[in-house]
Amino acid sequence: MAPGYIFWRPKTYQGRFYVPAYLRRPGYCCVDLLVSDDGYDWHVQSTPIPPALVDNETLWANETEILFLGYMIKSLRLGGRCGVVVPEGLLVGTTTAHKAIRRILFEKCKLAAVVSVPAGCFKPYSGVKTSILIVKKGEPTKEVWFYEVQNDGYSLDDKRRPTPDKNNIPDLLENWTKDQNGTWEPTDKSWKATIDEIKENDFNLSASRYKPLKIEEVEYEDLTKLIKEVLELEEEISKNLKELERMI
């Protein structure tokens, strides 16, 4: 089992809670998931079939990132906000649990932004493709703002050398500020999708899925002029061939 947050259903022995030995190791952390009127009610469970309760819904999942995102939503008060880095698989996964957590994001929260981050941003620790979610709890999502970061100011290999001439972060912050004050306009790196568009795509949250197609206008030469040039070229070729034939 990889280190991380482990959701485990508590057991009792002689009236007292205990944690199994396989969870008492460095890198693991048990978290309180449920809050009752009388205080905290611990409900953490290990894989392979761990339930995480989000409000009054039960979310069954094996993936730690799904459970942890569910916990974060649960722990937010109404109007609370969070920013979280998630693996790309959480945004595009087709399992029941993946779709359920994304549906909760839309129905229980306002998913304000999805910032696509290139694979390599977290090297040398991880090369996984990730995205950043900005969430506000308490109101349903109507539209989602997307931004595609292609470069973060460092090389995307294990050495992560500074590349100040390749850095989209200042542009990201500038466009996010514009979106918040109502002056934003679509760019080649930022765009929006409505909740209806996202529903039509089975709640897929990959930024590239909704990136507008860029149509470039191409100017072609006048067709009559082009035909004339082709005929002149053919005439010249024919003349040269006849000259060659006389020389043979």
Side-chain angles (χ1 to χ4, degrees):
M1 299 172 69
Y5 287 88
I6 302 301
F7 288 78
W8 164 74
R9 177 173 297 166
K11 299 179 182 179
T12 58
Y13 177 72
Q14 294 182 349
R16 300 182 63 183
F17 287 107
Y18 74 95
V19 179
Y22 65 85
L23 289 180
R24 297 195 300 269
R25 60 176 69 178
Y28 287 93
C29 178
C30 292
V31 294
D32 56 318
L33 188 60
L34 302 181
V35 182
S36 67
D37 294 336
D38 299 326
Y40 290 91
D41 179 13
W42 289 83
H43 186 106
V44 279
Q45 171 147 349
S46 63
T47 54
I49 313 177
L53 300 185
V54 183
D55 294 332
N56 293 323
E57 299 182 24
T58 301
L59 178 67
W60 292 85
N62 295 337
E63 294 81 359
T64 304
E65 61 267 22
I66 296 178
L67 296 173
F68 188 56
L69 182 57
Y71 173 72
M72 292 185 71
I73 295 172
K74 170 68 181 178
S75 64
L76 284 175
R77 65 180 182 181
L78 291 179
R81 301 170 183 262
C82 78
V84 57
V85 179
V86 298
E88 193 75 1
L90 190 144
L91 306 183
V92 301
T94 57
T95 68
T96 301
H98 282 95
K99 294 178 182 179
I101 192 63
R102 294 199 297 265
R103 214 165 26 242
I104 290 170
L105 274 174
F106 289 117
E107 295 173 358
K108 305 291 184 182
C109 307
K110 176 183 178 181
L111 179 57
V114 175
V115 179
S116 176
V117 179
C121 271
F122 295 100
K123 281 188 174 183
Y125 311 105
S126 174
V128 175
K129 169 75 179 73
T130 58
S131 287
I132 303 169
L133 307 183
I134 306 298
V135 180
K136 180 180 179 181
K137 185 176 180 180
E139 54 184 284
T141 302
K142 296 181 180 179
E143 63 180 9
V144 179
W145 186 80
F146 292 93
Y147 189 96
E148 184 180 46
V149 175
Q150 297 173 342
N151 297 282
D152 67 341
Y154 296 88
S155 63
L156 298 175
D157 55 18
D158 290 342
K159 295 184 178 179
R160 297 288 281 157
R161 296 188 181 94
T163 56
D165 58 323
K166 296 181 179 180
N167 186 1
N168 300 139
I169 303 302
D171 184 68
L172 162 63
L173 297 176
E174 180 182 347
N175 277 277
W176 172 249
T177 301
K178 289 180 178 179
D179 180 66
Q180 297 303 291
N181 61 31
T183 61
W184 172 83
E185 292 184 359
T187 69
D188 61 335
K189 291 184 176 63
S190 61
W191 53 88
K192 286 187 176 183
T194 65
I195 184 61
D196 291 333
E197 290 177 289
I198 296 171
K199 283 182 178 179
E200 289 174 3
N201 285 277
D202 213 7
F203 293 98
N204 187 301
L205 281 175
S206 173
S208 60
R209 175 66 67 95
Y210 307 99
K211 187 173 183 176
L213 294 176
K214 188 176 181 179
I215 302 176
E216 295 183 357
E217 185 176 346
V218 180
E219 293 187 3
Y220 294 97
E221 292 186 36
D222 180 70
L223 186 58
T224 304
K225 181 182 177 182
L226 186 61
I227 293 174
K228 183 180 179 181
E229 290 177 353
V230 171
L231 290 174
E232 289 176 352
L233 183 60
E234 286 184 349
E235 184 179 350
E236 185 178 353
I237 292 173
S238 178
K239 181 180 177 180
N240 291 335
L241 286 174
K242 288 178 181 180
E243 184 68 24
L244 181 62
E245 186 179 13
R246 282 196 300 268
M247 294 174 60
I248 295 176

